[in-house]
C-alpha cells in the first residue's frame, strides 16, 4: 500500500496540482492585498468612505456589510480575468504545437479517385 501511495504521489499530475494550489493561495493573497490596499482606497474617493469595509447598512438587528461584498466581487473578477488569460495562453500554445495535417500522398489521391469512380459506376449500374 505504501508503494502504491508513493507511486500516486510521484505522478506528474499530482505534483503539478500541488504546485498549482500553492501558487493559487499565494496569488489569492496578492489579489486581496491589491483590492484592499489599492482599489478600495481609489473607490473610497468616490464613495466618501475611508475604506469599502466600512460601508454597511442595518435592518432591524442585522448588519449587512456591503463594502466587504464589493471587495470580494472585485477579488473574484480579478481572479477570473487572470484565469481567463492563462487559459487563452495555454490554448494558444497547445494549438500551435499540434502539427498540421499532412497532405495526402499522390497514391492516396489516386485511390480516392478510383474509389469514387467505382462508387459512381455501381450507382449508375443499379
Amino acid at each position: 500500500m505504501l508503494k502504491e501511495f508513493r507511486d500516486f504521489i510521484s505522478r506528474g499530475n499530482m505534483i503539478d496540482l500541488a504546485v498549482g494550489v500553492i501558487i493559487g493561495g499565494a496569488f489569492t493573497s496578492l489579489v486581496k492585498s491589491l483590492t484592499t490596499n489599492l482599489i478600495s482606497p481609489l473607490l473610497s474617493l468616490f464613495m466618501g468612505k475611508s475604506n469599502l469595509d466600512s460601508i454597511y447598512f442595518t435592518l432591524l438587528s442585522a448588519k449587512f456589510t456591503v463594502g466587504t461584498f464589493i471587495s470580494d466581487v472585485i477579488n473574484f473578477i480579478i481572479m477570473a480575468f487572470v484565469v481567463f488569460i492563462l487559459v487563452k495562453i495555454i490554448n494558444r500554445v497547445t494549438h500551435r504545437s499540434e502539427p498540421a495535417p499532412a497532405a495526402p500522398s499522390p497514391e492516396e489521391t489516386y485511390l480516392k479517385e478510383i474509389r469514387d469512380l467505382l462508387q459512381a459506376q455501381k450507382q449508375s449500374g443499379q
Side-chain angles (χ1 to χ4, degrees):
M1 188 163 91
L2 289 174
K3 182 182 179 306
E4 289 178 43
F5 180 71
R6 181 187 51 145
D7 292 342
F8 175 74
I9 292 297
S10 65
R11 286 184 190 161
N13 293 341
M14 182 59 114
I15 294 171
D16 292 343
L17 178 63
V19 169
V21 167
I22 292 168
I23 290 175
F27 185 69
T28 300
S29 60
L30 179 68
V31 170
K32 184 165 179 59
S33 176
L34 172 74
T35 303
T36 304
N37 298 321
L38 296 176
I39 295 174
S40 290
L42 285 173
L43 291 176
S44 69
L45 292 173
F46 301 106
M47 301 184 93
K49 299 279 186 171
S50 60
N51 86 28
L52 289 179
D53 294 336
S54 64
I55 300 172
Y56 67 93
F57 68 90
T58 56
L59 183 63
L60 302 175
S61 63
K63 180 179 179 181
F64 296 92
T65 54
V66 178
T68 304
F69 177 73
I70 292 171
S71 293
D72 291 340
V73 168
I74 292 170
N75 286 343
F76 172 77
I77 290 171
I78 292 170
M79 293 289 283
F81 181 72
V82 169
V83 169
F84 171 74
I85 296 299
L86 286 174
V87 168
K88 283 189 71 72
I89 291 170
I90 289 169
N91 285 341
R92 189 174 296 156
V93 168
T94 57
H95 289 302
R96 283 187 183 167
S97 64
E98 294 176 5
S105 66
E107 292 86 9
E108 287 177 317
T109 305
Y110 295 137
L111 288 173
K112 287 179 184 177
E113 289 175 6
I114 293 170
R115 178 198 64 199
D116 295 341
L117 287 172
L118 288 173
Q119 284 178 347
Q121 285 178 353
K122 185 178 179 182
Q123 288 177 351
S124 66
Q126 291 178 357

